[in-house]
Amino acid sequence: MTLLDVKALKKYFPLARGQLLHAVEDVSFAIKAGDGLGLVGESGSGKSTIGRLLTGLELADGGTISLDTSTDTAVQLVFQTAEEALNPAFTIERNIAVGLGKNRSSDPKRIAETARSVGLDPELLTRRPHQISGGQQARAGIARALVSEPELLVLDEPTAALDVSVQAAVLKLIDRLRRERSIALLFISHDLEVVRLMCDHVLVLYLGRVAEYGPVEQVMSAPAHPYTRALLSSAPGKSNRVRSAGEALSPIDPPGNACLFHNRCPSATETCRTSKPELITLRDGWQAACHHMERS
Ligand code: SF4
């Protein structure tokens, strides 16, 4: 069952002198119930903007976001940092209660159960965010998102602000909760290896456009798009870096008739500078946008 269907999503930010920053351009994807989709790309690729569009924190300039109405699908966002997720003036209990929404009264029993389910001692509920550790703040942020029992969690780099020692525990927690509760995930990350562990599908974004989209194992074992290969080879521990020299093009009024990766791409030709590559289906559910794709 498709929980979320996103079609041709667009988001532009107006700048001075009539310029437009093209943050998200014609992005389409779907998430099934219980599925995990990883959104990856460098900073400025539009991945966090997509998370904010899905959770209503930004309004789209085009395209559609359709949620399954038969289940009254609820979507919640797990923020990147405690500063975004938790109000410093509120107790942890009140912060978690925010996740219940404005129209629902607080429910101490449910909040304590949710805290326990994310490994947060209910005794900490009376404290303020600065009185607990970074790992506990991350768990409180997850509890705030989970307390309304959403079908879909949008996680925006949920471990980026945490110590390495805490990151693995929080990722394990998210994975366990997802399996226990059959929650679908949209997992935003710059780290393809983490996405491989957490997700079933991956969507690779470059300057707001889809470079590649498909089952995570297929994409990561035989990436079709040069940018996906560059991302994979630049991961920590990889020595055979794909050359992606050259300055990235600006997302401000980018050319509509070129591949936006052309000045960093080792396979670029004149065609890439004068013609925009469309998304091509390689296999069922696997697409990439490149004029000179490697097909396995
Ligand atoms: Fe590289 Fe050309 Fe493919 Fe763009 S279209 S990724 S420049 S080969």
Side-chain angles (χ1 to χ4, degrees):
M1 180 184 71
T2 300
L3 208 59
L4 172 72
D5 200 7
V6 173
K7 287 211 164 57
L9 195 61
K10 299 182 206 312
K11 180 67 189 174
Y12 309 121
F13 294 103
L15 303 172
R17 295 193 295 276
Q19 293 177 309
L20 266 192
L21 188 149
H22 291 226
V24 179
E25 189 75 85
D26 276 335
V27 172
S28 302
F29 58 88
I31 302 183
K32 292 194 174 136
D35 198 15
L37 172 68
L39 269 190
V40 297
E42 295 160 302
S43 79
S45 60
K47 53 193 194 306
S48 291
T49 304
I50 292 174
R52 295 175 69 81
L53 290 167
L54 295 186
T55 48
L57 295 175
E58 299 278 0
L59 288 177
D61 292 311
T64 56
I65 298 172
S66 310
L67 289 165
D68 175 29
T69 48
S70 65
T71 60
D72 206 9
T73 299
V75 183
Q76 285 285 347
L77 176 66
V78 176
F79 290 94
Q80 202 174 105
T81 64
E83 288 77 35
E84 290 175 288
L86 305 174
N87 185 328
F90 289 179
T91 61
I92 297 303
E93 178 173 15
R94 197 164 161 207
N95 268 298
I96 296 174
V98 169
L100 288 168
K102 286 193 187 110
N103 302 326
R104 290 163 68 180
S105 57
S106 187
D107 184 339
K109 188 165 165 252
R110 182 158 167 178
I111 290 170
E113 273 168 17
T114 308
R116 236 178 256 113
S117 75
V118 302
L120 199 62
D121 187 338
E123 285 191 5
L124 300 177
L125 290 174
T126 55
R127 298 201 189 164
R128 300 247 173 340
H130 72 276
Q131 295 173 313
I132 61 176
S133 71
Q136 288 164 340
Q137 289 172 355
R139 289 173 195 271
I142 294 169
R144 191 196 64 86
L146 277 182
V147 73
S148 62
E149 299 184 350
E151 284 83 9
L152 173 64
L153 272 188
V154 176
L155 300 117
D156 187 0
E157 304 263 15
T159 60
L162 299 175
D163 290 344
V164 177
S165 56
V166 186
Q167 285 180 5
V170 172
L171 289 175
K172 253 190 185 166
L173 167 68
I174 294 165
D175 194 45
R176 173 175 64 76
L177 291 167
R178 178 194 163 196
R179 286 172 207 287
E180 282 175 6
R181 300 178 180 220
S182 297
I183 302 173
L185 297 184
L186 182 81
F187 193 90
I188 297 168
S189 179
H190 64 279
D191 188 333
L192 270 166
E193 287 302 333
V194 171
V195 165
R196 188 177 210 162
L197 285 176
M198 304 291 292
C199 300
D200 312 286
H201 293 87
V202 62
L203 189 150
V204 181
L205 283 168
Y206 188 74
L207 290 182
R209 293 183 187 172
V210 178
E212 188 159 2
Y213 173 39
V216 71
E217 280 308 322
Q218 286 180 22
V219 170
M220 291 197 60
S221 53
H225 196 285
Y227 178 60
T228 313
R229 289 200 294 279
L231 267 187
L232 275 169
S233 65
S234 62
K238 298 280 169 71
S239 55
N240 56 335
R241 294 174 74 99
V242 168
R243 183 168 58 86
S244 60
E247 283 274 305
L249 288 178
S250 167
I252 301 170
D253 295 331
N257 57 350
C259 172
L260 299 188
F261 190 53
H262 73 79
N263 58 343
R264 297 175 73 193
C265 180
S267 313
T269 63
E270 192 48 34
T271 308
C272 309
R273 285 178 260 278
T274 53
S275 154
K276 178 185 157 200
E278 300 298 335
L279 271 174
I280 293 168
T281 298
L282 300 161
R283 278 188 216 150
D284 197 21
W286 185 6
Q287 300 175 312
C290 173
H291 291 304
H292 309 295
M293 227 135 28
E294 283 189 16
R295 300 180 189 222
S296 56

